[in-house]
Amino acid sequence: SARGVEWNRSLLRKLVGPMIRACIEEQALSTVGRSSVPRATWISDAQGICALLPTGNQLPPSLRELFDLGSLYQGLRDVRLFRPLIAYPPSAPNANGTTALLSYTGSVQPLSAGSGTKAAQNEAVHSFAHEAGLPLSYVDSSAASEFAAAGATRHAELSRAFLIENLKRRHPSNVKMAGLLLGYLLANTSSDTCKDLAGLPLAPLCDGSVAVLGGTATSASEGVVAVHNPRQWWCALPAGSADANGGGGAKEGRRAAAEQADLILRKLCPHMTLDVSWLDATEVVALRGCASTVGLVDVDCCERLAKALREACPTLVDREGAGASGMSMLQQAGLRTVARGVAGAASAFGLGSTLSAGGGAGGAEGVSASVAGLGSAEEADALLRAIWSFAETAQGGLAPDFVTSFQGFLIVPSCRIEGWLQGMAQQQDMVQQQDSGNSMFPPPLEEAEAPDEGGEDAPFLQEGSRSGAAAGGLRLLALRKDDPLMLPPRSGDQMLVQLLGIAGRLLPGRFIDQSHPAISASAINFLTRHDVVQPFTPQTLLCSLARALERQPSLATTFATRCAGLAAQQKDMMREKMSQAICDIFAAGLSEASSASYGGGEGLARVFCGLPIFLSEAGLAHERPEGEMQTADTNSGPGHKTLHELITVDGEPLSLSGDTIDLADAFLFRQSRRVAPELAAALDIADIRECLSAQGCYLTQSVWLLRHVVPHMADLSSNDQVAVLERLLPLLSLEEANMHHGFVPVEVAGGGVCMKPPVGILDAQDFTVQEIFGISGDTVPALPRSSRLHFPVRTLTPNVRTQLRRLGMHGSMNNPTCLIFLTHELKSRNSTVPGERYGDLQRVLMQRILESWPNLRDDAKRALLSEAFVDISPGADGGEVQDSLFSLKPFRDRCVGRLLSLGELVSRTHDTDPYLCWTSVPLSPRGFPEFAGFRRTTVEDVIAHAKALGELPDNGVPWHLWPELKEKVVEPLCTFLAGQEPFRSALGENGEAQLEQASKSRISTQLRKTKFLAVPMDEAGTHTLVAPWRISLVLKSHRPPMFALPEYLQEHIPLLRLLGVRDALELPQSESANQGDNDAARAMEQSMEWLFTSGAETFADVTVRCDGGSLHVHRNILMARSEYFRAMFQGGEGGFREGQEGSAEVTMFEAPLDVARVLFRYLYSGRVDESPLEGPQGTSNSIELMCLAHQYMVPYLFEFAQSWVANQQDLEDCADTLALAAQHEASTLEGATLSLMAANWDAPEVEQQLPRLSEQHRQALQELVRSRPAR
């Protein structure tokens, strides 16, 4: 019934329920008192308190409705009923004690049990949760469901998210836990949630540390946490069946590559490599999918492996390049010299003591495997195999990116050449024993015949190189594309094998051991195709030497030292092979890519020139025949040297008869017959020439002769001197030949020979030189040592002389230096050579100067014109022609004993110049041609010439020369002056303003009173020289002191006006002229003339006392002719004393006798004697005459005297003349003087006299000036 149901429900809730709860609690408490729970064990459903907890599926439906399970479980939710799951270490406390129980809400449900990897991962999760302080307790699912139905929740849920959240706060305690946790999370991770792993400490590294995925790494060791900086971790994820694509071969290759990569990473970079051994295949696939997200790099290609090794194992990378011994600084630090006891193997190939002697001096063949970080020899072998196997099987395989990725890695096994040669020697013995033919070595190993790893190889390879490697330890070389290694020959001729031994001496660390198991035939072929490895040849050896030297220049000394230990025969072979090698390289052409590593042609030339394998000319002469063994200890004769220690001459050696100088010991002649063709070709390469030239060790033959032979020329015999010159001169240019102080032997006065350059030598075969020096035949004069030029010795051959002419030996043609020297020589001979001979010589020299003149420079012309060597004396040119114009007062008369320069001379043959100046400047000697360098006539010359002509007496010019004088002298002189300033401007179209300036010029002043104008006096040809101021433009006939202008000067009137020709006053006609020309007049004049001249005997009754003498005249004539004398002699009282009867005496002591005679002769005959009025005293006499005529009242004579004085006066005399005219009332003279001053108003002479004029004259002059018409 309903009541019964309620009763039962109440009973169950209030009695049975509490009883069950109490029973459960009591049972739980009793559990705590029992022995400790086994560590890390799982509680089954039949164990623990969960067996006592009622669940809904255990009760019948009727009871399930009555019993309130929710209340029961809600009451038990916080009750400690459940045993904890612990995983303490055995040494942890409470290991055997009791443990506290956990409540449902205060505990975490552990993971369900699993098997295999799953169980281990769950256990790792529980261990990490326990370490993180999480209370783990198992509650079966039925009880957990009832608790959940009652609204109870656990402390936390051990889920993926819960685990990730706790991993962010705490790191796993060990690498195993980290690996299992990573696997657990990967198994429960999708591609969308893999990013949650980034930043979690779940990267188990191979060195036992734990890293943060995509972050830093830590490792816990005794409480110390180590942090690794890299944020990227490497791993080699195996290619399983779940993710391998492609065929079976590709899968297998990738699986093998992953295994090799894992081995390499574990050994060489464990601190950066993820240990994936904790993951199964499915988890690996998951990890590969999120690798980039969590900072993992799957090393599945060469590039990634190289990057990992470069970062994790720096000792495996040769970062600094080759050092002094062919190794990097890192390699050198861990290396020491390894003794080699392989002299027997070297001897088998005729290498003598090369290798044994060099064992101590040479460097080791690479870097020790232990120094490179590969461990022991066995470990290193395994790692090398793994690296090269990975390279062949990884993604991409052996491709160009492999070389790029592993650039600089020490992964190439080094070959010990000694062991290699020893193996070849053994193989040779085997072949000879088997008598298997002529082949010395087995055929090369082909790729198809490559032995399996660890399989059989050629016996000499294993026993030789491998045994050598074992003896000295495995050594490694860097893989460099820019520094290829060399591959020793597996067979070859004897010479190549010997060269290999030498190469092992010079570059011990540059050969790859192709017999090493890690290096397969396919790898060798790949490296060879990509120029990482090159077959050993002389060319590759030379390039390798150049690369090493380019990396470290100090290796030059090392190479030289190593090479010095070679035997002489080996050095000779090295010279031959290296010469041929460098020629072949340059012939094939240098590619920019391949030659950049060794410096191109410069690098090859540098190493070639630095090897001590070369012999001088003397050494080649002492070289032993081929086949005779030489060693470094027994070598005789000059030793081998580098090209820098020799001087290479681009030419042939010079054989001299004497032993004055050694031309062979220090020199190597490229064109010597002893120099091998290949060496000669090598020395002709431009880069080698430049390399040697930079050190001053390469000379052209001309430079060699100039530097090393020419300084000893004076000590050589004459034949040797000629031999040197025949070799040297054709090689020189003009500049080169004359830069040296001298090398051509010349004769000097006093005996002996000195050396001079070609420009210091005279050509003895030049005609002009021969004439000047008087050379005939082969005999040449020996000039003083101080002479600028000398003649060469007679022993010179025609070829030498021809070359000397090309190089500047002085001939006279177009050579100013020679011409000037010849002028000096000719001048020095003037006092010793007869005059006629000197004239011939100067004409010869003048002719050569004339021929050379157009080709001379201006400075040379000036120098020649200044040389005084011309003799114009009559003895040199025969003098002037008698009764010629040039014989009239010639300038040469002033040059006695003096030599003249060409620049001082005026051409004698010129049309006008000589006629304008022969009295003022010297003319060129007779026989001299017309010459552009002669001076031209100047204004000063013409003025001086005019003055000299004016000094000639009236009879100084022969009558037959007057026409020529007028035509060639006077007229050209006027024409010349008209063309000079200031006359040219004054006479031009616009020259009116310059007229006065020209008239006042210095030239006008000097020429106004100079008698240079030839004036004809009569039709008979009588002429005289007249000054311009004595010529009147008005007179039609001569009226001394004025002359009419001759007809031939009419066209020069404008110029003559400027020179002083003027409009003179017309003299009055004489009385006799007025009487007509009849017999009676002439008879009367003659009678009166007779009476005057015979006064003393014709009853003269008057004596006139004058200055200078007395005159006897007749008073009746005087009285008839002069009022003054009429008054004087008129008798009677009151008259003069002289008027008394008887003889009378008149005193005229102030009057010169000549002037008085003019006065009284006029009174007798009516004619004026003009002769006393001319000449030097003419002016003063004419003034005296004017005064006497005025005093004695003779009108006509007074007028005549005024005109004469007016025409004779000059501007300087105008003031005095005006005063005199005023005193004597000479109006005619006064007017003429004022007109002259007015015409020359601006002249300085007029200006200077103005203060001396009277006021009346000054005013009259001003009126005349104002009234003058404008010009």
Side-chain angles (χ1 to χ4, degrees):
S1 64
R3 187 172 182 178
V5 172
E6 183 63 29
W7 167 258
N8 290 338
R9 180 180 293 111
S10 178
L11 179 64
L12 290 174
R13 292 179 178 177
K14 296 181 179 181
L15 179 61
V16 177
M19 290 177 60
I20 294 174
R21 176 177 176 180
C23 179
I24 291 172
E25 291 178 354
E26 182 181 358
Q27 181 65 32
L29 291 174
S30 65
T31 303
V32 175
R34 291 198 291 269
S35 60
S36 62
V37 178
R39 291 184 297 274
T41 58
W42 300 107
I43 301 176
S44 65
D45 293 340
Q47 296 176 343
I49 199 64
C50 292
L52 302 178
L53 292 176
T55 60
N57 55 3
Q58 294 175 343
L59 300 178
S62 58
L63 185 59
R64 187 183 306 132
E65 295 179 1
L66 297 176
F67 192 72
D68 188 4
L69 287 177
S71 298
L72 175 64
Y73 277 94
Q74 189 172 11
L76 293 175
R77 57 183 295 178
D78 296 322
V79 178
R80 296 179 177 273
L81 302 175
F82 309 100
R83 289 186 299 172
L85 176 64
I86 59 176
Y88 292 130
S91 61
N94 300 326
N96 297 317
T98 59
T99 58
L101 298 180
L102 300 175
S103 66
Y104 177 82
T105 58
S107 63
V108 177
Q109 179 72 17
L111 301 176
S112 61
S115 61
T117 303
K118 187 67 174 178
Q121 291 175 350
N122 289 349
E123 183 178 356
V125 173
H126 294 158
S127 298
F128 175 76
H130 180 75
E131 292 176 358
L134 298 179
L136 296 177
S137 179
Y138 178 77
V139 178
D140 64 16
S141 57
S142 299
S145 299
E146 295 297 339
F147 275 114
T153 57
R154 304 294 296 268
H155 172 71
E157 180 181 0
L158 195 58
S159 62
R160 179 181 183 279
F162 179 83
L163 184 61
I164 289 174
E165 188 64 27
N166 279 273
L167 282 171
K168 293 179 180 178
R169 294 191 295 268
R170 181 179 180 83
H171 290 191
S173 59
N174 55 66
V175 66
K176 178 180 179 182
M177 179 184 294
L180 292 174
L181 289 178
L182 177 62
Y184 171 80
L185 291 177
L186 287 173
N188 298 275
T189 298
S190 63
S191 59
D192 297 333
T193 58
C194 64
K195 60 182 180 180
D196 295 338
L197 300 180
L200 299 182
L202 292 178
L205 303 182
C206 293
D207 66 344
S209 62
V210 178
V212 176
L213 293 174
T216 58
T218 61
S219 62
S221 176
E222 299 180 357
V224 179
V225 177
V227 179
H228 301 289
N229 291 328
R231 304 180 63 86
Q232 202 172 48
W233 312 107
W234 309 97
C235 62
L237 300 178
S241 57
D243 62 338
N245 299 319
K251 295 178 184 178
E252 192 63 31
R254 283 193 288 272
R255 185 176 295 109
E259 292 174 358
Q260 301 296 341
D262 186 65
L263 171 63
I264 298 168
L265 294 175
R266 285 178 181 275
K267 291 292 184 181
L268 298 181
C269 41
H271 61 287
M272 298 179 63
T273 302
L274 187 71
D275 186 358
V276 296
S277 61
W278 305 104
L279 308 179
D280 59 18
T282 304
E283 294 162 356
V284 167
V285 173
L287 181 61
R288 180 178 287 113
C290 64
S292 60
T293 305
V294 298
L296 292 178
V297 178
D298 182 12
V299 178
D300 58 352
C301 63
C302 294
E303 181 182 1
R304 292 182 177 180
L305 178 61
K307 185 175 181 181
L309 295 179
R310 194 181 300 275
E311 294 181 5
C313 188
T315 57
L316 193 60
V317 183
D318 182 14
R319 297 180 182 273
E320 301 182 14
S325 60
M327 302 168 292
S328 67
M329 302 302 294
L330 172 66
Q331 298 166 15
Q332 296 178 49
L335 295 179
R336 64 176 179 268
T337 305
V338 180
R340 301 170 177 82
V342 291
S347 300
F349 292 100
L351 300 180
S353 59
T354 301
L355 300 177
S356 59
E365 298 90 343
V367 180
S368 170
S370 59
V371 173
L374 299 185
S376 64
E378 291 76 11
E379 293 174 332
D381 282 338
L383 285 172
L384 281 184
R385 292 190 185 196
I387 291 174
W388 285 97
S389 176
F390 174 84
E392 295 186 33
T393 58
Q395 180 181 345
L398 281 175
D401 63 341
F402 166 76
V403 178
T404 304
S405 301
F406 281 90
Q407 178 78 1
F409 275 80
L410 297 167
I411 60 173
V412 180
S414 175
C415 174
R416 297 183 67 250
I417 297 302
E418 296 90 341
W420 187 271
L421 292 175
Q422 186 178 18
M424 295 183 75
Q426 294 174 359
Q427 179 68 12
Q428 182 183 15
D429 293 340
M430 293 173 56
V431 172
Q432 291 176 351
Q433 291 174 3
Q434 297 173 1
D435 194 21
S436 58
N438 296 328
S439 177
M440 182 177 177
F441 302 107
L445 183 65
E446 301 294 339
E447 183 175 0
E449 302 173 352
D452 295 335
E453 189 178 69
E456 294 294 331
D457 204 343
F460 73 93
L461 297 180
Q462 292 186 355
E463 296 177 8
S465 62
R466 296 299 296 142
S467 62
L474 177 62
R475 296 190 175 276
L476 303 174
L477 303 175
L479 185 147
R480 294 184 181 278
K481 183 174 179 61
D482 58 348
D483 191 10
L485 301 172
M486 289 181 285
L487 189 65
R490 301 171 70 102
S491 63
D493 57 13
Q494 186 80 4
M495 186 68 73
L496 189 61
V497 174
Q498 291 180 5
L499 186 62
L500 177 62
I502 298 173
R505 164 84 180 189
L506 298 178
L507 289 173
R510 300 306 303 159
F511 293 91
I512 181 174
D513 184 5
Q514 57 182 315
S515 67
H516 193 280
I519 307 299
S520 65
S522 59
I524 291 293
N525 291 337
F526 167 78
L527 295 177
T528 303
R529 287 196 308 271
H530 292 84
D531 291 328
V532 180
V533 172
Q534 297 176 344
F536 174 75
T537 62
Q539 292 88 341
T540 55
L541 172 59
L542 181 61
C543 292
S544 296
L545 291 171
R547 290 188 187 94
L549 189 61
E550 179 71 13
R551 289 178 179 274
Q552 191 165 350
S554 61
L555 273 179
T557 304
T558 304
F559 289 158
T561 303
R562 292 174 179 175
C563 197
L566 298 176
Q569 185 180 8
Q570 295 165 341
K571 295 177 183 177
D572 294 340
M573 183 193 68
M574 187 73 172
R575 178 178 68 247
E576 176 189 351
K577 293 301 181 182
M578 292 299 97
S579 299
Q580 188 61 54
I582 198 169
C583 290
D584 293 343
I585 293 174
F586 276 93
L590 296 175
S591 65
E592 183 177 355
S594 62
S595 62
S597 61
Y598 53 76
E602 294 180 8
L604 293 176
R606 187 163 51 247
V607 70
F608 180 80
C609 297
L611 296 174
I613 58 176
F614 302 96
L615 291 173
S616 65
E617 180 70 14
L620 293 172
H622 290 85
E623 193 174 17
R624 296 190 178 187
E626 185 177 357
E628 184 176 348
M629 185 62 187
Q630 293 176 327
T631 65
D633 297 329
T634 62
N635 186 26
S636 61
H640 291 75
K641 302 177 182 179
T642 66
L643 287 178
H644 294 303
E645 297 172 318
L646 296 171
I647 294 179
T648 301
V649 181
D650 189 10
E652 300 178 5
L654 182 65
S655 299
L656 301 179
S657 59
D659 56 356
T660 305
I661 54 177
D662 183 7
L663 300 180
D665 189 37
F667 305 103
L668 172 61
F669 297 91
R670 190 180 71 84
Q671 299 178 15
S672 173
R673 60 181 179 81
R674 295 188 177 95
V675 173
E678 57 272 11
L679 177 57
L683 294 175
D684 196 36
I685 295 174
D687 288 289
I688 294 180
R689 293 200 306 268
E690 292 175 3
C691 180
L692 294 176
S693 298
Q695 302 293 326
C697 300
Y698 188 92
L699 305 177
T700 62
Q701 184 146 357
S702 60
V703 175
W704 170 70
L705 290 169
L706 288 173
R707 291 185 183 177
H708 299 279
V709 179
V710 165
H712 306 282
M713 282 288 283
D715 302 326
L716 300 179
S717 65
S718 58
N719 291 335
D720 286 346
Q721 289 175 347
V722 173
V724 172
L725 292 177
E726 287 186 337
R727 177 71 64 85
L728 173 62
L729 296 182
L731 305 175
L732 298 179
S733 65
L734 179 62
E735 293 77 10
E736 293 170 338
N738 295 288
M739 290 174 61
H740 200 273
H741 67 277
F743 53 83
V744 181
V746 298
E747 305 273 0
V748 294
V753 174
C754 71
M755 299 295 163
K756 302 204 74 174
V759 293
I761 300 175
L762 272 174
D763 187 357
Q765 297 178 353
D766 183 272
F767 171 76
T768 305
V769 174
Q770 290 177 340
E771 286 292 314
I772 298 299
F773 283 93
I775 300 173
S776 61
D778 295 335
T779 303
V780 295
L783 301 180
R785 188 176 294 270
S786 60
S787 177
R788 181 179 181 184
L789 302 178
H790 290 82
F791 290 102
V793 296
R794 289 177 293 175
T795 56
L796 298 186
T797 62
N799 290 336
V800 172
R801 293 179 184 272
T802 300
Q803 291 296 332
L804 288 176
R805 293 187 186 96
R806 180 181 66 87
L807 297 175
M809 181 171 70
H810 292 292
S812 60
M813 188 63 183
N814 301 328
N815 191 324
T817 302
C818 180
L819 292 173
I820 293 175
F821 184 80
L822 293 178
T823 62
H824 293 169
E825 179 63 23
L826 182 60
K827 181 167 52 176
S828 68
R829 295 170 177 263
N830 181 254
S831 59
T832 59
V833 175
E836 184 178 357
R837 176 58 180 164
Y838 190 91
D840 293 339
L841 293 179
Q842 70 180 2
R843 280 189 290 273
V844 170
L845 181 55
M846 183 60 204
Q847 182 62 36
R848 184 49 55 93
I849 293 175
L850 179 64
E851 295 170 355
S852 305
W853 194 256
N855 301 317
L856 300 181
R857 301 188 309 272
D858 291 343
D859 56 341
K861 292 179 179 179
R862 289 191 294 268
L864 273 173
L865 292 177
S866 65
E867 293 296 331
F869 71 93
V870 181
D871 188 351
I872 63 172
S873 65
D877 71 345
E880 302 293 348
V881 178
Q882 269 310 61
D883 293 333
S884 65
L885 283 178
F886 295 157
S887 66
L888 301 177
K889 204 175 181 180
F891 187 84
R892 73 162 71 220
D893 294 344
R894 302 183 231 169
C895 302
V896 177
R898 182 165 74 94
L899 297 180
L900 303 175
S901 66
L902 292 176
E904 297 178 81
L905 303 178
V906 171
S907 173
R908 176 183 293 272
T909 59
H910 194 270
D911 292 338
T912 59
D913 282 1
Y915 296 97
L916 298 178
C917 61
W918 81 78
T919 64
S920 58
V921 293
L923 301 183
S924 61
R926 295 172 62 190
F928 268 38
E930 181 64 29
F931 175 50
F934 285 145
R935 62 170 292 184
R936 298 302 302 275
T937 305
T938 64
V939 173
E940 287 74 15
D941 299 336
V942 172
I943 294 174
H945 183 53
K947 290 182 177 181
L949 293 177
E951 296 173 358
L952 293 173
D954 289 341
N955 59 354
V957 181
W959 64 270
H960 65 278
L961 293 181
W962 284 108
E964 186 179 7
L965 182 67
K966 292 189 294 183
E967 177 186 355
K968 294 186 176 181
V969 178
V970 178
E971 277 198 276
L973 191 148
C974 293
T975 303
F976 176 84
L977 291 176
Q980 305 298 314
E981 293 294 342
F983 303 116
R984 180 173 59 203
S985 299
L987 299 176
E989 294 181 1
N990 300 318
E992 297 295 333
Q994 287 78 24
L995 284 174
E996 292 185 5
Q997 179 182 355
S999 64
K1000 294 185 292 184
S1001 68
R1002 174 182 57 87
I1003 304 175
S1004 297
T1005 303
Q1006 292 178 334
L1007 294 180
R1008 180 178 290 116
K1009 293 185 178 182
T1010 301
K1011 298 195 302 181
F1012 69 92
L1013 299 177
V1015 177
M1017 301 299 295
D1018 53 37
E1019 296 181 358
T1022 304
H1023 288 70
T1024 187
L1025 293 175
V1026 179
W1029 77 302
R1030 288 300 184 189
I1031 295 180
S1032 170
L1033 299 177
V1034 176
L1035 296 179
K1036 301 302 181 181
S1037 62
H1038 304 313
R1039 296 288 290 171
M1042 301 304 293
F1043 296 86
L1045 183 69
E1047 184 67 27
Y1048 76 97
L1049 292 178
Q1050 290 295 326
E1051 59 179 283
H1052 300 292
I1053 289 177
L1055 171 70
L1056 294 175
R1057 282 185 180 276
L1058 299 177
L1059 295 178
V1061 174
R1062 52 186 170 169
D1063 299 329
L1065 296 180
E1066 184 71 30
L1067 296 176
Q1069 295 290 325
S1070 64
E1071 294 179 359
S1072 60
N1074 294 331
Q1075 295 173 0
D1077 189 13
N1078 51 53
D1079 295 339
R1082 283 196 298 272
M1084 178 61 71
E1085 182 179 352
Q1086 293 173 358
S1087 298
M1088 295 303 293
E1089 182 69 25
W1090 174 83
L1091 185 63
F1092 173 70
T1093 57
S1094 304
E1097 293 83 17
T1098 56
F1099 308 103
D1101 54 0
V1102 177
T1103 301
V1104 181
R1105 304 294 182 184
C1106 303
D1107 181 14
S1110 301
L1111 296 175
H1112 302 281
V1113 294
H1114 305 82
R1115 70 177 65 190
N1116 55 346
I1117 296 177
L1118 297 182
M1119 293 174 64
R1121 297 288 289 169
S1122 169
E1123 293 181 5
Y1124 180 86
F1125 286 113
R1126 185 180 304 118
M1128 177 184 292
F1129 296 124
Q1130 186 176 10
E1133 296 181 5
F1136 291 99
R1137 179 177 54 85
E1138 294 83 353
Q1140 303 300 322
E1141 293 186 5
S1143 297
E1145 185 174 306
V1146 177
T1147 303
M1148 301 175 62
F1149 289 120
E1150 73 279 5
L1153 177 62
D1154 291 340
V1155 176
R1157 185 178 285 116
V1158 172
L1159 171 65
F1160 288 105
R1161 175 173 279 115
Y1162 170 75
L1163 294 178
Y1164 273 81
S1165 64
R1167 286 187 176 273
V1168 180
D1169 183 9
E1170 297 177 355
S1171 58
L1173 305 180
E1174 297 176 349
Q1177 300 299 323
T1179 302
S1180 61
N1181 289 343
S1182 61
I1183 293 176
E1184 291 292 338
L1185 179 62
M1186 183 188 72
C1187 296
L1188 289 176
H1190 178 261
Q1191 178 182 354
Y1192 295 110
M1193 299 179 183
V1194 184
Y1196 173 81
L1197 191 58
F1198 180 55
E1199 192 69 24
F1200 177 89
Q1202 289 187 70
S1203 299
W1204 192 280
V1205 172
N1207 289 337
Q1208 276 194 324
Q1209 70 174 338
D1210 203 356
L1211 287 175
E1212 294 89 347
D1213 308 325
C1214 288
D1216 296 333
T1217 303
L1218 285 175
L1220 181 65
Q1223 179 183 355
H1224 294 281
E1225 299 178 355
S1227 59
T1228 301
L1229 177 60
E1230 184 179 29
T1233 303
L1234 290 174
S1235 298
L1236 179 61
M1237 295 182 71
N1240 296 275
W1241 172 252
D1242 296 329
E1245 295 87 345
V1246 174
E1247 295 177 3
Q1248 294 171 5
Q1249 297 179 78
L1250 289 177
R1252 297 166 54 194
L1253 300 181
S1254 65
E1255 183 64 27
Q1256 179 182 359
H1257 287 153
R1258 190 180 297 112
Q1259 292 179 359
L1261 179 60
Q1262 291 176 353
E1263 289 294 334
L1264 285 176
V1265 171
R1266 284 195 295 268
S1267 63
R1268 287 175 59 206
R1271 293 188 178 183

